[in-house]
Amino acid sequence: MGAFVPDGYVPHVQDQINSRFAVGDALKEMIGFQKEFKLFSLAHSLCSSFTLLNIAPVGEKDRDGFLRYLEMLRKTGAQVNGKPTKYNGHDQIIVTLKDNLESKSPLPVFFDYHPGEKPTGQVLVTIREAFVFSSTNYLTISVPTVKPGRKKKK
């Protein structure tokens, strides 16, 4: 994400996303949004869904960069539990969130980042403990970032 959004905003956006899918009332709210509005569906882009949830950096330029990053995920691959999927990274995130929120036992969701293996990287979906201080399993969605050494946006 470093090429699209200044480094200082990345943790802020990550916190916004993770707060929306956290254990408890936040997750219940997202389940309700999914049931009522089908917020996560291949009929909607991640840009549309995250914009409706007001998830993005504050500044217009940085918001545009974040939304471009979400669109760039259409050019990435995706893996679920280490196996390639038929979806691109963008669509895999949507399908993963949809399936989770509509399941009988939805898990809290943790968004994470990892260095991109190649310029287009991979979206990685797993179920794991997201925090060393908790034994709660999370649906974890890790998105690729700019490789170290690449020019980052200032």
Side-chain angles (χ1 to χ4, degrees):
M1 184 181 300
F4 295 89
V5 179
D7 293 351
Y9 281 112
V10 174
H12 175 68
V13 172
Q14 181 182 21
D15 184 54
Q16 287 179 0
I17 297 170
N18 288 335
S19 294
R20 283 293 193 163
F21 295 92
V23 174
D25 289 340
L27 182 59
K28 288 177 189 172
E29 181 180 54
M30 292 306 297
I31 293 166
F33 285 164
Q34 183 63 25
K35 185 176 182 178
E36 181 75 20
F37 303 110
K38 300 297 182 206
L39 186 59
F40 295 100
S41 147
L42 292 177
H44 310 295
S45 70
L46 279 176
C47 290
S48 295
S49 299
F50 282 6
T51 299
L52 283 170
L53 293 169
N54 199 29
I55 295 172
V58 178
E60 185 176 335
K61 180 180 175 186
D62 301 319
R63 179 179 287 264
D64 289 345
F66 175 68
L67 298 177
R68 280 194 324 273
Y69 174 76
L70 293 177
E71 284 300 311
M72 182 276 309
L73 292 174
R74 291 181 189 274
K75 298 176 184 174
T76 69
Q79 294 180 25
V80 175
N81 297 320
K83 296 180 182 176
T85 72
K86 66 180 183 177
Y87 297 106
N88 63 49
H90 175 276
D91 291 354
Q92 185 62 60
I93 292 171
I94 292 170
V95 169
T96 297
L97 292 173
K98 175 190 178 305
D99 290 350
N100 181 57
L101 293 171
E102 294 177 358
S103 74
K104 290 183 182 182
S105 300
L107 293 171
V109 182
F110 182 74
F111 279 80
D112 204 359
Y113 302 97
H114 63 273
E117 297 82 11
K118 42 188 169 166
T120 56
Q122 294 278 312
V123 169
L124 308 175
V125 178
T126 57
I127 294 174
R128 65 176 173 86
E129 295 174 0
F131 306 103
V132 296
F133 53 81
S134 173
S135 60
T136 301
N137 278 326
Y138 282 73
L139 175 63
T140 302
I141 300 172
S142 186
V143 294
T145 59
V146 174
K147 287 183 179 184
R150 289 217 171 191
K151 185 177 178 181
K152 294 183 180 180
K153 183 178 178 181
K154 292 184 179 186

